[in-house]
Amino acid sequence: MSSDSAAVPDPPRLLRDWQYYLREQLRIVSDQPEQEARWLLAAALGRDTAALVRDGLTPISSGERARIASLLAHRRAGVPLAYCLGEWSFYGMALQVAPDVLIPRPDTEVLVTCTLEGLPERARVLDLGTGSGAIALAIAVARPHAEIWAVERSPAALRIARMNGVTRAPQVSWLQGDWYAPLDADLRFDRIVANPPYLREDDSHLPDLRHEPREALVAGPSGLECLGHIIAGASSHLLPQGVLLLEHGADQGAAVRTLFDGAGFSAVQTRHDLAGRARVTLGVGA
Ligand SMILES: C[S@@+](CC[C@H](N)C(=O)[O-])C[C@H]1O[C@@H](n2cnc3c(N)ncnc32)[C@H](O)[C@@H]1O
């Protein structure tokens, strides 16, 4: 089959031809149009990508055509691929996502890896601002005997997190509310972990992130508001020798270390991602 889009009928009839058609249509929004075409087509048809090859000569029904056209229109309008597909990969899991939750980022896998270092099998872990449940679930899958709590302010996001947890981690306790507020006063944790909102209100990246929930991204005028609140409250919720681990912006490492020091944490250090950017700061509670 030629890769020339002019040779493809519009709209195509066979599944195989839709792949070429979508690839050409996606070039304006994607730098990997071939991959995206396969993923979108598989999602619209409810099949896996292997079936696209196997069933290439199958005609597409009018209902299927409508679903493909709708996904394509969303994607061409700039909706992130993850929202179009309805799921996204994080730490080896395919998590359900929707515009109510931040799309889990590879950067956050650094935070999970740091949290798992030396984490006992039966540790008690708190994930604040769980969103899709990505961090809590990655830890729960790696430490099936750990007790995990996950807090989220947005009820819509928490519904998605619960759904993601149903089969892979029924042991996670999902709580709705504001940071530490929904926790029993006497609960103490070995690890508190969070990827809170940390962008400033005027961050220049916000227009590119317009499809994701603003309350998942923006902390306030300085960008440090949520990080500061979580750091200030952590020691009352940590067990002795318990550790707080926070993801933050690449340019916030020094400011976050100062907040940890000010709250009496010891052994404060910042970890970097593979590109050498400061992404996670951690410390042992006071
Ligand atoms: C940057 S997102 C992180 C989502 C997820 N943990 C991840 O890493 O993909 C921050 C999350 O914190 C939640 N959040 C914001 N303010 C909150 C608050 N006051 N209490 C609890 N959760 C909050 C947002 O709704 C959002 O889901």
Side-chain angles (χ1 to χ4, degrees):
M1 165 66 63
S2 155
S3 64
D4 179 1
S5 63
V8 177
D10 185 13
R13 198 176 67 83
L14 301 180
L15 191 159
R16 180 192 62 186
D17 295 334
W18 270 100
Q19 286 191 63
Y20 302 113
Y21 177 78
L22 286 179
R23 181 191 63 194
E24 297 310 312
Q25 293 287 315
L26 289 165
R27 283 194 196 284
I28 59 157
V29 282
S30 173
D31 52 10
Q32 45 172 3
E34 186 134 13
Q35 280 278 47
E36 284 205 21
R38 289 173 51 245
W39 290 333
L40 279 181
L41 198 50
L45 301 177
R47 305 184 200 192
D48 58 38
T49 47
L52 304 184
V53 179
R54 192 184 61 226
D55 305 333
L57 296 178
T58 312
I60 294 296
S61 70
S62 58
E64 289 172 326
R65 185 180 304 173
R67 284 204 299 279
I68 300 169
S70 163
L71 277 187
L72 177 61
H74 280 90
R75 185 66 188 113
R76 280 174 58 101
V79 174
L81 179 65
Y83 292 150
C84 294
L85 298 177
E87 69 171 36
W88 203 239
S89 173
F90 181 80
Y91 226 79
M93 305 175 289
L95 296 178
Q96 287 188 48
V97 294
D100 296 312
V101 295
L102 187 93
I103 300 164
R105 306 290 204 271
D107 297 344
T108 304
E109 296 182 336
V110 177
L111 177 62
V112 172
T113 300
C114 292
T115 306
L116 289 173
E117 277 172 20
L119 185 69
E121 284 298 327
R122 294 185 184 278
R124 203 180 266 180
V125 181
L126 171 64
D127 172 25
L128 291 173
T130 198
S132 63
I135 298 170
L137 292 172
I139 295 168
V141 168
R143 293 287 186 279
H145 299 295
E147 289 177 66
I148 314 237
W149 276 259
V151 173
E152 170 58 51
R153 185 173 57 183
S154 153
L158 198 63
R159 269 195 294 281
I160 293 172
R162 277 184 204 279
M163 255 188 304
N164 280 323
V166 167
T167 52
R168 42 175 77 86
Q171 78 273 32
V172 177
S173 304
W174 306 102
L175 304 176
Q176 194 264 319
D178 188 17
W179 302 133
Y180 301 104
L183 297 166
D184 286 346
D186 55 351
L187 255 183
R188 296 284 183 276
F189 299 92
D190 296 287
R191 301 284 186 276
I192 299 176
V193 58
N195 170 22
Y198 53 71
L199 297 186
R200 286 197 319 264
E201 287 164 347
D202 61 353
D203 192 291
S204 61
H205 298 97
L206 284 170
D208 292 338
L209 300 168
R210 66 192 178 284
H211 292 282
E212 296 186 77
R214 189 176 163 86
E215 56 277 19
L217 296 164
V218 175
S222 77
L224 294 168
E225 290 79 356
C226 299
L227 289 158
H229 181 86
I230 292 171
I231 293 167
S235 287
S236 343
H237 297 276
L238 282 169
L239 287 161
Q241 294 305 302
V243 178
L244 172 66
L245 303 101
L246 297 178
E247 180 172 326
H248 51 71
D251 58 351
Q252 292 173 322
V256 173
R257 284 194 300 279
T258 301
L259 290 170
F260 269 76
D261 290 339
F265 281 81
S266 56
V268 175
Q269 51 179 288
T270 295
R271 300 286 186 83
H272 297 76
D273 63 17
L274 289 177
R277 294 170 306 178
R279 297 318 310 268
V280 172
T281 293
L282 57 94
V284 178

